């Protein structure tokens, strides 16, 4: 059965889910988005994702046509319509239909809200067991003073260029440095290293996306009594770290065991990384906003 896609209040079969070629999301990357996960019938950290979406929209002066409550319900409705309990959710708000000029004021019909749900495509399981190899790419992360990396905008060309370098090297992910040469993040994930028994991750001011999974890892580390510092660091610090891992909604927590040819730590996923991975998995299946609350469950859940 075809997936149903939400576009401005309507649920349309995937093959008919289309938007105008004059949408400024397409013409200029003018819009914002979120990538969200549902596990075991619940949407993980939905409020945090919605809050980040509204902050991104606020920063680019984009009025989201729905209230956060309305948008939350639209996400849940789309998951229910697709009978999905475990899913990746792509929430996109574009500037809407305008003319061929840049001016968003011409997009008079208003923003376009799109919700796509599908099964998640993870890295193959062996990368979680054995760890990833990364390279440092030559594409620098966008200058945050020019375009804030905190805005999760439809303009992902910076990351796409980095991803091309990663793939050409035959790898899954790579490290992006910021304009000053400090480690920023991966092309679609945040980065942590472990050194002297504590975790270090670049601060938001280093030009990174403030990841929701990054925040969850910080909470879990506090639970375990492991210190976390947000501090700038260099490639040298990655090469000499005892552990390294990436975090992201799609990737979750994935160990890193080799960077630019250097073996990290023992060359196997580290102790702290493994503890965090286990605890993270427990958390994802035990909390979140229910997709099928009482009364809305039976008919749909049976099909799932
Ligand atoms: N950095 C970038 C550039 C991203 O696109 C993402 C999301 N894919 C992340 C970090 C991780 O953020 P989150 O944990 O909120 O998914």
């Amino acid at each position: 059965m075809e997936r149903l896609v939400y576009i401005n209040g309507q649920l349309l079969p995937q093959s008919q889910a289309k938007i105008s070629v004059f949408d400024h999301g397409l013409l200029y990357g003018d819009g914002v988005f979120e990538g969200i996960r549902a596990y075991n019938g619940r949407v993980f950290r939905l409020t945090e994702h919605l809050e980040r979406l509204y902050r991104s929209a606020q920063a680019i002066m984009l009025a989201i046509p729905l209230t956060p409550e309305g948008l939350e319900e639209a996400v849940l409705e789309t998951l229910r319509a697709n009978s999905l309990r475990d899913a990746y959710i792509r929430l996109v708000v574009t500037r809407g239909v305008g003319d061929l000029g840049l001016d968003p004021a011409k997009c008079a019909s208003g923003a376009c809200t799109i919700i796509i749900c599908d099964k998640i495509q993870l890295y193959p399981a062996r990368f979680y067991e054995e760890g990833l190899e990364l390279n440092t790419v030559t594409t620098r992360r966008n200058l945050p003073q020019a375009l804030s990396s905190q805005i999760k905008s439809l303009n992902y060309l910076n990351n796409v260029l980095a991803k091309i370098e990663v793939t050409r090297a035959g790898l899954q992910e790579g490290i992006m440095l910021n304009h000053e040469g400090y480690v920023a993040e991966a092309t679609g994930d945040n980065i942590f290293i472990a050194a002297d028994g504590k975790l270090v991750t670049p601060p938001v001011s280093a030009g990174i996306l403030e990841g929701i999974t990054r925040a969850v890892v910080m909470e879990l580390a506090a639970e375990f009594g492991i210190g976390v510092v947000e501090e700038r660091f260099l490639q040298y610090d990655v090469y000499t770290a005892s552990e390294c891992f990436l975090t992201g909604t799609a990737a979750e927590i994935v160990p890193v065991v080799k960077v630019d040819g250097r073996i990290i730590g023992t060359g196997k996923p580290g102790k702290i990384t493994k503890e965090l991975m286990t605890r993270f998995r427990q958390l994802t299946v035990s909390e979140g906003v229910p997709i099928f609350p009482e009364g809305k469950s039976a008919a749909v859940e049976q099909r799932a």
Side-chain angles (χ1 to χ4, degrees):
M1 203 185 80
E2 262 196 278
R3 292 263 177 249
L4 294 171
V5 177
Y6 174 104
I7 303 184
N8 288 339
Q10 275 189 300
L11 283 164
L12 300 163
Q14 190 174 317
S15 57
Q16 289 161 45
K18 295 182 177 157
I19 62 158
S20 166
V21 293
F22 286 93
D23 193 302
H24 279 205
L26 172 70
L27 291 176
Y28 295 114
D30 186 355
V32 293
F33 79 102
E34 277 298 320
I36 313 171
R37 282 283 285 274
Y39 297 89
N40 193 30
R42 292 164 190 266
V43 187
F44 190 61
R45 301 283 158 131
L46 179 55
T47 309
E48 286 85 342
H49 282 284
L50 290 174
E51 283 173 358
R52 187 171 65 185
L53 183 79
Y54 280 85
R55 284 199 304 274
S56 294
Q58 162 75 8
I60 68 161
M61 295 182 80
L62 172 67
I64 298 181
L66 295 163
T67 61
E69 296 74 30
L71 194 49
E72 172 170 326
E73 191 42 43
V75 168
L76 299 174
E77 188 193 323
T78 310
L79 286 164
R80 286 196 286 267
N82 285 289
S83 304
L84 283 167
R85 294 175 54 82
D86 291 275
Y88 180 80
I89 304 145
R90 174 58 56 91
L91 182 46
V92 183
V93 185
T94 74
R95 187 74 70 178
V97 177
D99 63 17
L100 291 179
L102 261 186
D103 187 1
K106 301 272 177 60
C107 302
S109 57
C112 173
T113 309
I114 301 165
I115 306 167
I116 312 165
C117 302
D118 210 345
K119 290 275 177 205
I120 179 78
Q121 197 72 54
L122 281 176
Y123 290 131
R126 71 181 169 94
F127 290 120
Y128 293 87
E129 285 146 26
E130 295 164 16
L132 285 181
E133 174 177 354
L134 308 182
N135 60 350
T136 305
V137 299
T138 62
T139 306
R140 293 291 167 112
R141 192 72 177 94
N142 275 339
L143 185 67
Q145 289 83 351
L147 175 63
S148 171
S149 51
Q150 285 181 268
I151 302 172
K152 200 164 164 63
S153 85
L154 294 181
N155 210 308
Y156 249 53
L157 210 41
N158 185 217
N159 311 66
V160 170
L161 293 177
K163 188 74 177 189
I164 289 172
E165 291 187 56
V166 168
T167 323
R168 281 172 60 87
L171 303 175
Q172 311 289 319
E173 255 298 4
I175 296 178
M176 297 184 79
L177 306 178
N178 69 11
H179 61 290
E180 297 169 323
Y182 288 97
V183 170
E185 57 185 335
T187 68
D189 297 311
N190 291 116
I191 186 165
F192 285 77
I193 55 172
D196 304 324
K198 65 177 187 334
L199 293 174
V200 192
T201 195
V204 172
S205 61
I208 62 162
L209 180 76
E210 193 170 6
I212 311 266
T213 320
R214 173 182 181 271
V216 174
V217 161
M218 286 163 131
E219 277 173 36
L220 296 181
E223 243 179 55
F224 287 138
I226 302 166
V228 185
V229 285
E230 293 176 77
E231 207 171 79
R232 276 156 212 258
F233 57 85
L234 296 164
Q235 280 159 294
Y236 169 86
D237 302 294
V238 182
Y239 300 156
T240 57
S242 54
E243 300 185 28
C244 179
F245 60 86
L246 305 180
T247 65
T249 297
E252 304 177 316
I253 300 172
V254 59
V256 172
V257 293
K258 204 173 184 188
V259 178
D260 296 334
R262 281 83 165 170
I263 303 276
I264 307 302
T266 61
K268 297 215 164 66
K271 185 168 165 287
I272 301 176
T273 309
K274 285 202 289 197
E275 275 173 9
L276 287 167
M277 286 169 73
T278 305
R279 182 75 188 96
F280 183 81
R281 294 224 164 109
Q282 288 167 352
L283 196 68
T284 54
V285 293
S286 61
E287 69 160 51
V289 180
I291 302 168
F292 305 97
E294 292 296 310
K296 288 188 177 162
S297 59
V300 186
E301 234 173 341
Q302 271 164 17
R303 284 196 278 128

